[in-house]
């Protein structure tokens, strides 16, 4: 993961020279690719353990994002990327597995910046990630990262500057012509509690060692305070992965959408809440504060003859 560490260092050096919100800002056209390679079993096993994936078999739905994150960071810390990487906030992610990928299959990973969008709190960039096996697209994701800055003009992309709920699914066409089963989540905080998890203070360091994401805000209270947090915070992608580990049969999942609402300060006790199917879920903290909301779309069961 030395390339990711180098990207973090480069981001720290280049961020002061980038100004978010420039009206003439454009995204680099580069598509960064990692050649096809099998998944290393040791890091995968460590990732399964820390995220709660107990079943062997196909890759966890979030793992290609982890594998491709060094490419994402290299692109976002490049000279032609218009936003400073320091201070970027991961606001949402959408994952679409086209089929299950196994650890033995060599994955080719591609990352590119898709679009810039005005946001009521600044500018949001959408980063795309694709995973292929022998040229076949088997997995893809879109992630939103927010660069906070003062808007020169009021944002008119949504009524009254409201932020669209990225975790609310759009009904699409499922594979094999069957209608997907989509959960429409109730208001945040309205799902029944299913489990309570105690998160240790070193969770950020442990997940960082597994994923390679050693952002200082996740590692230690002292480094987190440099960025305005009173304590280290949990990785958003850990919270998504931990919830998906509870979501039931991964082979039926056709899409995942999750929105990050508030950071989880470590150590913490959080509540995993979900509907009966696991298709709508959220992570709540003390006094019911919602940290994460998400939905899963599944392939509808195909009825047999007769």
């Amino acid at each position: 993961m030395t390339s990711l560490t180098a990207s973090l260092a480069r981001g720290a050096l280049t961020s002061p020279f980038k100004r978010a919100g420039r009206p003439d800002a454009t995204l680099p056209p580069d598509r960064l690719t990692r050649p096809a390679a099998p998944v290393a079993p040791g890091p995968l096993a460590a990732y399964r353990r820390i995220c709660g994936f107990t079943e062997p078999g196909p890759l966890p739905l979030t793992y290609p994002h982890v594998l491709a994150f060094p490419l994402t960071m290299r692109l976002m810390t490049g000279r032609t990327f218009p936003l400073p990487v320091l201070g970027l906030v991961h606001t949402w992610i959408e994952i679409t597995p086209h089929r299950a990928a196994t650890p033995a299959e060599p994955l080719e990973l591609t990352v590119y910046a898709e679009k810039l969008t005005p946001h009521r709190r600044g500018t949001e960039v959408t980063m795309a990630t694709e995973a292929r096996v022998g040229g076949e697209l088997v997995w893809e994701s879109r992630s939103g990262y927010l660069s906070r800055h003062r808007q020169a003009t009021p944002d008119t992309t949504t009524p009254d500057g409201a932020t669209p709920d990225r975790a609310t699914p759009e009904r699409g066409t499922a594979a094999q012509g069957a209608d997907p089963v989509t959960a429409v989540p109730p208001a945040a905080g309205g799902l029944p509690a299913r489990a309570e998890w105690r998160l240790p203070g070193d969770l950020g360091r442990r997940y960082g060692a597994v994923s390679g994401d050693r952002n200082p805000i996740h590692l230690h209270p002292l480094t987190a305070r440099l960025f305005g947090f009173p304590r280290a915070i949990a990785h958003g992608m850990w919270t998504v992965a931990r919830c998906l580990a509870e979501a039931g049969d991964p082979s039926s999942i056709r899409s995942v959408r999750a929105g990050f609402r508030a950071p989880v300060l470590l150590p913490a006790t959080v509540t995993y809440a979900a509907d009966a199917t696991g298709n709508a879920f959220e992570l709540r903290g003390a006094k019911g504060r919602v940290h994460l909301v998400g939905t899963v779309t599944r392939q509808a069961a195909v009825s047999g003859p007769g």
Side-chain angles (χ1 to χ4, degrees):
M1 293 293 183
T2 54
S3 62
L4 183 51
T5 302
S7 292
L8 286 170
R10 184 167 61 248
L13 293 174
T14 59
S15 287
F17 301 99
K18 296 183 179 182
R19 183 171 62 86
R22 292 188 294 109
D24 60 341
T26 58
L27 290 171
D30 312 61
R31 296 173 68 96
L32 302 186
T33 298
R34 189 202 76 170
V39 176
L44 173 59
Y47 181 83
R48 289 189 194 273
R49 285 194 299 270
I50 199 167
C51 295
F53 292 102
T54 58
E55 297 296 326
L59 294 178
L61 290 178
T62 47
Y63 200 56
H65 175 92
V66 172
L67 294 176
F69 194 62
L71 289 178
T72 303
M73 284 297 297
R74 193 196 316 170
L75 186 59
M76 292 198 299
T77 58
R79 293 180 60 185
T80 58
F81 192 79
L83 303 177
V85 72
L86 288 185
L88 277 183
V89 179
H90 195 181
T91 51
W92 57 272
I93 185 168
E94 300 178 352
I95 298 172
T96 305
H98 296 288
R99 71 162 174 83
T102 66
E105 292 181 303
L107 283 185
E108 178 188 271
L109 301 169
T110 300
V111 167
Y112 58 94
E114 189 172 73
K115 62 180 178 179
L116 288 171
T117 307
H119 187 282
R120 64 189 177 93
R121 292 181 178 175
T123 301
E124 187 177 79
V125 61
T126 299
M127 301 296 295
T129 303
E130 298 173 349
R132 288 178 167 80
V133 174
E136 175 195 3
L137 181 65
V138 298
W139 181 100
E140 62 182 313
S141 74
R142 300 291 185 275
S143 281
Y145 296 89
L146 174 65
S147 178
R148 300 189 183 202
H149 60 83
R150 187 182 299 276
Q151 286 280 32
T153 58
D155 178 21
T156 58
T157 56
T158 57
D160 302 320
T163 303
D165 185 357
R166 296 285 186 171
T168 302
E170 297 174 1
R171 193 169 181 85
T173 302
Q176 301 176 352
D179 287 336
V181 177
T182 302
V184 179
L191 293 169
R194 302 292 178 184
E196 184 177 273
W197 301 326
R198 298 182 185 276
L199 312 185
D202 66 347
L203 176 62
R205 293 190 292 277
R206 291 166 54 205
Y207 181 81
V210 168
S211 67
D213 183 357
R214 294 182 174 87
N215 189 317
I217 62 176
H218 304 301
L219 303 182
H220 194 276
L222 291 177
T223 54
R225 287 188 194 114
L226 297 175
F227 297 91
F229 296 99
R231 305 196 302 273
I233 66 173
H235 292 72
M237 286 305 300
W238 179 87
T239 66
V240 175
R242 187 65 188 89
C243 289
L244 288 178
E246 303 291 324
D249 180 16
S251 66
S252 68
I253 294 178
R254 292 299 173 261
S255 68
V256 176
R257 293 173 174 86
F260 304 105
R261 295 291 184 84
V264 179
L265 298 173
L266 299 171
T269 298
V270 296
T271 298
Y272 166 71
D275 65 7
T277 63
N279 290 349
F281 61 88
E282 63 188 23
L283 198 66
R284 299 196 294 259
K287 299 180 181 179
R289 188 183 192 191
V290 176
H291 298 289
L292 173 78
V293 295
T295 56
V296 168
T297 301
R298 298 181 191 271
Q299 178 68 40
V302 179
S303 301

